[in-house]
Amino acid sequence: MPERGSINWLHVSTLIAVGILVGTEMVGASWAAGWALGGLLQFSPLVSRIVEGLFALCGVVLLYYFMRTAISNESIRN
C-alpha cells in the first residue's frame, strides 16, 4: 500500500473558511430570494415559508457542489 502524505492543515483551514463564507452568502441569498418572491407575489405565510425553504435547499445543494469542486482542486495532502 503506498504511503500517503501528511495533511496540510493550512489548506484544510482555507477550505473550511471558504465553506463558511460562501455557504453563508449562498444560503442566505437564496433564502432572501425566496422571501422576496413570496412577498412580491403576495403568497400566504405558509406558502411563503415553503418557497423560502425550497430556495434555501437550492442554496445548500449549490454549496455542496461548490465545496466538492473546491476540495478536488485544493490538495489537502502533501
Side-chain angles (χ1 to χ4, degrees):
M1 183 172 240
E3 278 193 42
R4 302 186 76 170
S6 62
I7 294 177
N8 188 341
W9 289 105
L10 180 63
H11 291 189
V12 172
S13 65
T14 300
L15 286 171
I16 290 171
V18 163
I20 292 170
L21 177 67
V22 172
T24 303
E25 293 291 329
M26 198 172 298
V27 174
S30 60
W31 198 313
W35 170 80
L37 187 63
L40 182 66
L41 299 176
Q42 296 180 353
F43 291 148
S44 69
L46 177 64
V47 175
S48 183
R49 297 288 185 247
I50 291 170
V51 170
E52 288 174 28
L54 289 174
F55 273 61
L57 183 63
C58 289
V60 170
V61 169
L62 288 173
L63 175 62
Y64 167 76
Y65 285 113
F66 174 80
M67 287 305 296
R68 192 173 76 170
T69 304
I71 290 170
S72 69
N73 289 319
E74 184 76 26
S75 60
I76 293 177
R77 297 200 181 264
N78 291 333

